[in-house]
Amino acid sequence: MKILSIETSCDETAVAILKITKQKEYFFKILSNIVASQIKIHQKYGGVYPTLAKREHERNLAPVLRQSLLEARLQKSKVKNQKSKIQIKSQKLKTLKEILQRHQNLYKSLKRFLSKSQKPTIDLIAVTVGPGLEPCLWTGVNFAKALSFWWNLPIVPVNHIEAHILVNFIEQNQIKIKTQKLFPAVCLVVSGGHTQLILMRNFGKYEIVGETRDDAAGECFDKTARILGLPYPGGPAIEKQALQWKSETQRSKFKIKLPRPMIYSKDYDFSFSGLKTAVLYKVKSQKSKVKSQKFISQMAYEIQAAINDVLVKKTIKAVKDFRAKSIILGGGVAANSDLRKRFENFSEALKINFLVPPKKYCTDNAVMIAVAAFFYKKDKMSWQKIKANANLRIS
Ligand code: KG4
Ligand code: ZN
């Protein structure tokens, strides 16, 4: 079985193709994994600008699809029978145009591509339907609908948050499912748009036990990085600076102390906007307007420590309260080495499982969408029924 997956919920335009074969276990092979990042475009705003992101998705989707099919060697030769091609086209193009009526440029580029290509040997299309930025989600969803209609393939709708969790189940070309020892699990999904603690009792059985009341953890990394004059995305930039300070002045004492919002609250919720404000005040209170390298790296270290302290403390509290057998990490912030290391140490001490994806599958990608669709392949539906939902909740 081959799944073609599409992800456009935020600022990455991604298309992947996953091949799954069944022997005793399920084996998978990533035939292609293309991610067109919009980082450069959003850098000057310090965050994602939804209408710009939508426009970029419209521009990128057809070339990314083509590249993905070529890489997977699923792109066949040109249509031979010119007459029948035109006949099919005239009937089909009208519907294609209707599906993509809000995406004129995407319609033009996809029409050009489809009229030159034959149907690839794909069994299923998977697409992120939410949560995410509404205009971006609809672009991906309408694109998936167009392909589904044109190639007569079913679609599986995928929840982006669940995909960040389920990508943990691919391991060395195998989908590993060891349910008895794994559940209940506490999942921490930390990204630019979300920070949620989810109790996972089994595949498809989730309960959100805590979440951020304002900014997401990744958003806090992004916004504080911008205050410090560091590039977007802020997470990797802060991580890099934090490492620099630690190695340069290992023995010196902290001069900067930031708050750990809600760290001792009795619930599993988070709040990061106060931390961002605290960083802003510290920067403004600097005598010199030019921030020294030492100040920036020390601040970065303390920002990372403050965010990770709260994330770890609340997760461990949930693990203990729910007697969880595993911690499952996912989302862009899960690429943070300090956070990974801390969870590794805690899970070892608590003798529980710790699942974290390879770094390249933490940030948004389409492989995770294909993996999630594999779990939900029975829920395939016709393109007419698929809808985007920016506020989709995992349940
Ligand atoms: O999952 P993701 O790619 O997109 C959303 O679904 O939002 O997450 C992007 C977020 C950004 O806020 C980025 O700053 C953060 O993940 N991020 C990191 C790291 N790499 C990416 N945060 C901390 N440390 C990192 N190494
Ligand atoms: Zn994400």
Side-chain angles (χ1 to χ4, degrees):
M1 164 190 235
K2 290 192 206 96
I3 302 176
L4 182 145
S5 54
I6 299 152
E7 157 61 41
T8 62
S9 68
C10 192
D11 60 343
E12 318 282 2
T13 314
V15 176
I17 299 168
L18 191 69
K19 183 179 176 182
I20 300 130
T21 45
K22 193 179 177 194
Q23 289 149 16
K24 267 186 184 168
E25 304 269 358
Y26 285 105
F27 284 88
F28 76 91
K29 194 173 176 199
I30 297 166
L31 300 184
S32 63
N33 175 25
I34 311 291
V35 182
S37 172
Q38 303 177 7
I39 283 176
K40 283 214 172 96
I41 289 153
H42 300 290
Q43 220 152 28
K44 55 176 173 266
Y45 305 102
V48 182
Y49 206 75
T51 44
L52 262 185
K54 174 190 181 242
R55 196 191 68 191
E56 286 306 301
H57 287 311
E58 287 172 343
R59 197 198 304 253
N60 291 337
L61 272 166
V64 168
L65 168 71
R66 185 174 168 272
Q67 208 183 332
S68 196
L69 287 167
L70 277 174
E71 195 172 293
R73 296 177 186 275
L74 296 178
Q75 174 92 67
K76 287 189 182 168
S77 57
K78 290 179 184 176
V79 176
K80 283 171 197 158
N81 188 335
Q82 204 65 25
K83 261 191 178 171
S84 71
K85 184 183 122 188
I86 291 162
Q87 242 178 21
I88 299 165
K89 267 173 71 181
S90 62
Q91 288 170 4
K92 279 179 117 180
L93 279 176
K94 205 172 151 234
T95 312
L96 189 77
K97 198 171 184 178
E98 270 167 29
I99 298 170
L100 295 174
Q101 59 180 316
R102 286 168 189 267
H103 317 276
Q104 277 311 303
N105 287 337
L106 178 57
Y107 166 68
K108 281 182 203 153
S109 60
L110 186 61
K111 183 180 81 172
R112 222 175 301 129
F113 171 74
L114 289 174
S115 59
K116 283 187 207 152
S117 333
Q118 282 188 344
K119 180 179 173 178
T121 52
I122 296 283
D123 304 282
L124 212 60
I125 292 172
V127 66
T128 305
V129 292
L133 302 171
E134 179 114 27
C136 300
L137 286 167
W138 271 113
T139 308
V141 166
N142 286 332
F143 182 70
K145 282 177 158 199
L147 294 182
S148 165
F149 154 73
W150 194 268
W151 290 331
N152 193 23
L153 290 172
I155 308 188
V156 174
V158 172
N159 178 314
H160 182 87
I161 300 286
E162 192 173 6
H164 273 307
I165 295 172
L166 294 178
V167 75
N168 276 287
F169 293 89
I170 54 170
E171 196 181 294
Q172 290 162 359
N173 282 359
Q174 206 175 339
I175 297 202
K176 288 238 173 187
I177 306 169
K178 33 178 184 176
T179 44
Q180 307 92 319
K181 289 181 192 157
L182 215 56
F183 301 123
V186 166
C187 311
L188 174 68
V189 179
V190 263
S191 69
H194 301 91
T195 300
Q196 288 184 334
L197 264 177
I198 298 160
L199 182 65
M200 182 178 184
R201 295 197 192 277
N202 209 327
F203 293 98
K205 284 199 161 183
Y206 307 95
E207 185 192 336
I208 300 172
V209 292
E211 61 192 313
T212 185
R213 295 183 182 177
D214 40 57
D215 293 352
E219 195 179 352
C220 187
F221 272 114
D222 295 338
K223 287 179 175 171
T224 52
R226 188 167 162 81
I227 295 169
L228 292 180
L230 298 173
Y232 174 83
I238 293 222
E239 178 168 15
K240 205 169 145 199
Q241 287 292 332
L243 275 173
Q244 215 162 319
W245 183 78
K246 208 182 164 196
S247 57
E248 266 178 21
T249 50
Q250 259 168 352
R251 288 191 199 98
S252 66
K253 282 189 178 174
F254 269 124
K255 297 223 173 61
I256 300 166
K257 195 76 191 154
L258 291 170
R260 270 70 175 155
M262 291 183 74
I263 196 160
Y264 296 116
S265 72
K266 290 204 171 93
D267 49 32
Y268 310 100
D269 282 350
F270 304 90
S271 165
F272 291 106
S273 74
L275 183 57
K276 170 193 67 195
T277 314
V279 172
L280 189 67
Y281 283 135
K282 293 267 185 221
V283 170
K284 278 192 175 164
S285 68
Q286 281 279 293
K287 277 184 197 136
S288 159
K289 280 202 174 152
V290 185
K291 299 180 273 285
S292 72
Q293 174 55 45
K294 192 176 165 195
F295 174 78
I296 292 173
S297 51
Q298 195 175 343
M299 270 300 254
Y301 185 85
E302 181 61 2
I303 291 166
Q304 180 179 266
I307 295 174
N308 290 353
D309 276 355
V310 185
L311 292 175
V312 171
K313 182 93 179 170
K314 287 289 172 94
T315 308
I316 299 300
K317 176 176 158 54
V319 165
K320 288 181 178 165
D321 292 354
F322 294 105
R323 295 167 188 259
K325 293 190 180 121
S326 320
I327 295 172
I328 300 180
L329 202 56
V333 181
N336 186 273
S337 301
D338 176 62
L339 190 65
R340 296 165 84 97
K341 190 76 206 150
R342 290 189 198 207
F343 277 122
E344 240 169 69
N345 294 343
F346 266 111
S347 49
E348 231 176 85
L350 294 171
K351 294 193 168 46
I352 58 170
N353 305 296
F354 173 49
L355 276 68
V356 63
K359 287 186 180 183
K360 64 177 171 181
Y361 298 137
C362 288
T363 45
D364 289 350
N365 62 86
V367 169
M368 69 184 202
I369 307 305
V371 173
F374 164 76
F375 282 91
Y376 286 100
K377 53 189 186 295
K378 283 200 189 97
D379 294 349
K380 63 186 178 189
M381 49 181 85
S382 70
W383 61 269
Q384 287 96 335
K385 291 186 180 159
I386 304 281
K387 280 195 179 99
N389 178 358
N391 302 313
L392 188 66
R393 307 270 289 173
I394 197 168
S395 61

